[in-house]
C-alpha cells in the first residue's frame, strides 16, 4: 500500500494524520480462556454477531458437561466461526462461552482500538471479499484461516477517529434496524389483514369488515367473473414483462436484456390497465396485475373482469397475490420447478368469494395504503444500506 493510500477518501474534520498500517498479529491476539461452564453459551450469527444461544430461535443439542471446555468471550471480542467467509468475524457485546471449534481474538491494546470500528470493517463486503484467498473448507463449511488473517496488513487511524467513524456507522445501523422492523411489522400486518378481510374457506363473510357493510359475500365460479382475452395485432404498443412482485412492467424497465424478434410482436397479446396475466411462474407470484397498456408474450394468458364496473381490479390484485390464494391453487399447477404455472382452465372452475364493488374498493384502499408504506420503508432501507456501503468504501483505507 502506498503512502497516498493510507488516508481514506472521506474523513471527519480535524483528522489529518495518515492511517497506521500493521500486521493483524500486531494489533490482535488470540485468546483461549476455558473453564467457565456457568457463563451463558453464545452462538455465532452472520448478521447479528454473537448472541445468546437461548435467543437463537432454534434448538441446538448440546452436552452441558462439555461446556467446561468452551471458550470464554468478552464484550468487544471477535469470533471466527464456521461461516466467517460469508459474515466476517462475529463481534460480541456479551460475556459468555462459545464452541471450542471457534477462534476468539481481541485487541492487544484495547484503549488504542474501538472494537465497534473493527466490527464495521470486519462485516464489510470489501473486507470479506478481500479475505476470499484465506478461506478453507468447501461451500457452507468454509471459514477464514486465522493464521493467514494474522499475516494480513490492516490500516487504521487513532482511536479518536475510530470512535467518530463507528458512531456514524452505529447511527446508520440503528436507522436500518428501525426501518427493517417497521417493514417487517407492516408485512406481517398486511398478511394478517388479507387473512381476516377475506372469508375463510366455506364461509360467506370475513372476520373483519368496514362499518356499514353487512351483506354476505357472493360466491361464483371464476369463469362467471372473468373472461380470457386474446387481442393481437398491436405491435406498436410497448412490450410488458411479467414479474413476481411488481406485476406487469415495461420490458425496458426490467433491468435485464431480453432478446426478441420485433417482427413477431404482431402476435403478442394486448394487455389493458386492470388486466391480469398468467405467466410462467404464476404459481409463485399469483397473477401479474397490469397498470399499463401494452403487449406481452403470446405464451401468457390474459384475462379481465366481464363486468369491470362491478369489480375492483385492485381488490383482485391483492387477493391473487396473497399467500392463501397461491397456496390454494397448488393443485391446479402444471410443469415442474421454476417452470410451473397455474392452469387457467382449472382456475376458471374454482369458486371465488367477493363483496359488492364498494366494499371491494374500501378493502383495496387499505391494502394499497399498506403497500405504499411497505414500499416507503423498503426504499428507505435500501437507501440507508447503500449510504452505509458507500461510507464503508470511502471512510476506510
Amino acid at each position: 500500500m502506498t503512502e497516498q493510500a493510507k488516508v481514506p477518501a472521506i474523513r471527519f474534520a480535524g483528522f489529518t494524520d495518515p492511517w497506521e498500517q500493521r500486521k493483524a498479529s500486531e494489533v490482535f491476539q488470540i485468546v483461549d480462556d476455558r473453564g467457565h461452564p456457568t457463563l451463558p453459551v453464545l452462538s455465532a450469527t452472520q448478521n447479528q454477531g454473537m448472541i445468546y444461544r437461548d435467543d437463537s430461535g432454534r434448538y441446538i443439542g448440546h452436552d452441558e458437561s462439555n461446556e467446561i471446555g468452551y471458550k470464554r468471550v468478552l464484550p468487544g471480542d471477535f469470533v471466527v466461526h464456521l461461516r466467517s467467509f460469508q459474515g466476517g468475524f462475529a463481534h460480541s457485546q456479551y460475556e459468555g462461552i462459545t464452541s471450542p471449534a471457534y477462534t476468539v481474538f481481541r485487541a492487544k491494546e484495547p484503549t488504542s482500538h474501538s472494537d465497534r470500528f473493527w466490527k464495521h470493517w470486519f462485516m464489510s463486503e470489501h473486507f470479506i471479499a478481500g479475505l476470499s484467498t484465506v478461506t478453507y473448507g468447501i461451500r457452507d463449511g468454509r471459514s477464514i484461516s486465522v493464521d493467514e488473517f494474522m499475516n494480513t496488513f490492516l490500516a487504521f487511524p487513532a482511536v479518536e477517529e475510530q470512535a467518530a467513524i463507528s458512531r456514524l456507522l452505529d447511527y446508520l445501523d440503528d436507522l436500518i434496524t428501525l426501518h427493517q422492523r417497521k417493514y417487517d411489522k407492516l408485512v406481517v400486518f398486511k398478511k394478517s389483514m388479507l387473512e381476516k378481510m377475506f372469508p375463510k374457506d366455506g364461509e360467506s363473510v370475513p372476520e373483519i369488515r368496514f362499518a356499514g357493510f353487512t351483506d354476505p359475500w357472493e360466491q361464483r365460479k371464476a369463469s362467471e367473473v372473468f373472461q380470457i382475452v386474446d387481442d393481437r395485432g398491436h405491435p406498436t404498443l410497448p412490450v410488458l414483462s411479467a414479474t413476481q412482485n411488481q406485476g406487469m412492467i415495461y420490458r425496458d424497465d426490467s433491468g435485464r436484456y431480453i432478446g426478441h424478434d420485433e417482427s413477431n410482436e404482431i402476435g403478442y397479446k394486448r394487455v389493458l390497465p386492470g388486466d391480469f396475466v398468467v405467466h410462467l411462474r404464476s404459481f409463485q407470484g399469483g397473477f401479474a396485475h397490469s397498470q399499463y397498456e401494452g403487449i406481452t408474450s403470446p405464451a401468457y394468458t390474459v384475462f379481465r373482469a366481464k363486468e369491470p364496473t362491478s369489480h375492483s381490479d385492485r381488490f383482485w390484485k391483492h387477493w391473487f397475490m396473497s399467500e392463501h390464494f397461491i397456496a390454494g391453487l397448488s393443485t391446479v399447477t402444471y410443469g415442474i420447478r421454476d417452470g410451473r404455472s397455474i392452469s387457467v382452465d382449472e382456475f376458471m372452475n374454482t369458486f371465488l368469494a367477493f363483496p359488492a364493488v364498494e366494499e371491494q374498493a374500501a378493502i383495496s384502499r387499505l391494502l394499497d395504503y399498506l403497500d405504499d408504506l411497505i414500499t416507503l420503508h423498503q426504499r428507505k432501507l435500501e437507501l440507508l444500506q447503500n449510504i452505509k456501503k458507500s461510507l464503508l468504501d470511502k471512510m476506510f483505507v
Side-chain angles (χ1 to χ4, degrees):
M1 189 178 290
T2 64
E3 287 296 320
Q4 291 83 354
K6 289 185 181 178
V7 292
I10 294 177
R11 301 185 83 174
F12 285 96
F15 297 108
T16 56
D17 291 339
W19 283 28
E20 191 172 351
Q21 189 180 36
R22 292 166 67 184
K23 268 191 176 182
S25 59
E26 298 177 63
V27 180
F28 296 104
Q29 61 182 327
I30 294 170
V31 289
D32 191 342
D33 181 8
R34 311 193 190 204
H36 305 276
T38 60
L39 289 175
V41 178
L42 302 176
S43 293
T45 68
Q46 289 184 57
N47 300 315
Q48 297 173 275
M50 301 302 290
I51 64 172
Y52 292 120
R53 181 173 60 193
D54 292 344
D55 294 339
S56 66
R58 57 195 177 93
Y59 173 75
I60 303 173
H62 62 100
D63 183 348
E64 292 184 1
S65 64
N66 290 333
E67 290 174 3
I68 196 167
Y70 276 35
K71 297 178 180 179
R72 186 184 185 202
V73 180
L74 296 180
D77 284 355
F78 294 91
V79 177
V80 185
H81 52 96
L82 298 182
R83 294 173 68 94
S84 52
F85 80 101
Q86 284 185 335
F89 302 126
H91 174 261
S92 185
Q93 304 178 65
Y94 313 111
E95 181 178 8
I97 53 176
T98 196
S99 168
Y102 298 166
T103 300
V104 182
F105 69 90
R106 66 177 65 120
K108 287 182 174 179
E109 302 171 6
T111 57
S112 299
H113 290 278
S114 161
D115 59 285
R116 304 292 301 177
F117 168 87
W118 288 112
K119 173 236 178 186
H120 289 295
W121 180 235
F122 290 154
M123 285 290 291
S124 70
E125 292 180 12
H126 185 78
F127 173 78
I128 295 168
L131 285 182
S132 61
T133 58
V134 297
T135 59
Y136 65 91
I138 58 173
R139 294 184 183 173
D140 290 348
R142 279 187 292 164
S143 184
I144 292 170
S145 165
V146 179
D147 290 340
E148 293 193 54
F149 163 68
M150 287 295 182
N151 279 317
T152 61
F153 281 89
L154 303 174
F156 56 92
V159 69
E160 295 81 9
E161 188 172 1
Q162 291 180 32
I165 291 169
S166 60
R167 279 195 299 271
L168 173 60
L169 296 175
D170 283 345
Y171 174 69
L172 287 174
D173 275 351
D174 288 343
L175 284 180
I176 288 168
T177 300
L178 173 67
H179 286 290
Q180 183 68 59
R181 286 175 179 164
K182 287 182 177 180
Y183 172 83
D184 292 342
K185 285 181 179 178
L186 285 165
V187 170
V188 171
F189 182 65
K190 184 189 173 186
K191 182 174 182 288
S192 175
M193 287 296 98
L194 281 167
E195 291 174 354
K196 293 178 179 179
M197 297 186 78
F198 288 79
K200 292 182 171 62
D201 293 340
E203 297 183 6
S204 60
V205 293
E207 182 180 341
I208 294 177
R209 301 184 83 172
F210 287 96
F213 297 109
T214 57
D215 292 340
W217 285 30
E218 190 172 351
Q219 191 174 44
R220 292 165 67 184
K221 268 192 178 182
S223 59
E224 298 177 64
V225 180
F226 296 103
Q227 61 182 325
I228 295 170
V229 288
D230 192 341
D231 181 9
R232 310 193 190 204
H234 305 276
T236 59
L237 290 175
V239 178
L240 302 176
S241 293
T243 69
Q244 288 183 58
N245 299 315
Q246 296 173 278
M248 301 301 291
I249 63 172
Y250 292 119
R251 181 173 61 192
D252 293 344
D253 294 339
S254 65
R256 57 195 177 93
Y257 172 75
I258 302 174
H260 62 100
D261 182 349
E262 291 184 359
S263 65
N264 290 334
E265 290 174 2
I266 195 167
Y268 276 35
K269 296 178 180 179
R270 186 183 185 199
V271 180
L272 296 181
D275 284 354
F276 294 92
V277 177
V278 185
H279 52 95
L280 298 182
R281 294 173 69 94
S282 53
F283 80 100
Q284 284 186 336
F287 302 125
H289 174 261
S290 185
Q291 304 178 65
Y292 314 110
E293 181 179 8
I295 53 176
T296 196
S297 168
Y300 298 165
T301 300
V302 182
F303 69 91
R304 67 178 65 119
K306 287 182 174 180
E307 302 171 7
T309 57
S310 299
H311 291 278
S312 161
D313 58 287
R314 305 293 300 176
F315 168 86
W316 289 113
K317 172 237 178 184
H318 288 294
W319 180 236
F320 291 155
M321 284 290 293
S322 70
E323 292 181 12
H324 185 77
F325 173 79
I326 295 168
L329 284 182
S330 61
T331 58
V332 297
T333 60
Y334 64 91
I336 56 173
R337 294 185 181 173
D338 290 347
R340 280 188 291 161
S341 184
I342 291 168
S343 165
V344 179
D345 290 340
E346 294 194 51
F347 163 69
M348 286 296 180
N349 280 317
T350 61
F351 281 88
L352 302 174
F354 57 91
V357 68
E358 295 80 9
E359 189 171 1
Q360 292 179 32
I363 292 169
S364 59
R365 279 195 297 271
L366 172 61
L367 296 176
D368 283 345
Y369 174 68
L370 290 176
D371 275 350
D372 289 343
L373 284 179
I374 288 168
T375 300
L376 174 66
H377 287 293
Q378 187 174 32
R379 286 175 179 166
K380 285 183 177 178
L381 259 178
E382 291 168 356
L383 176 62
L384 288 166
Q385 288 164 344
N386 287 335
I387 289 172
K388 183 183 176 186
K389 183 177 184 298
S390 176
L391 287 176
L392 281 166
D393 289 340
K394 294 176 180 177
M395 296 184 76
F396 286 79
V397 173

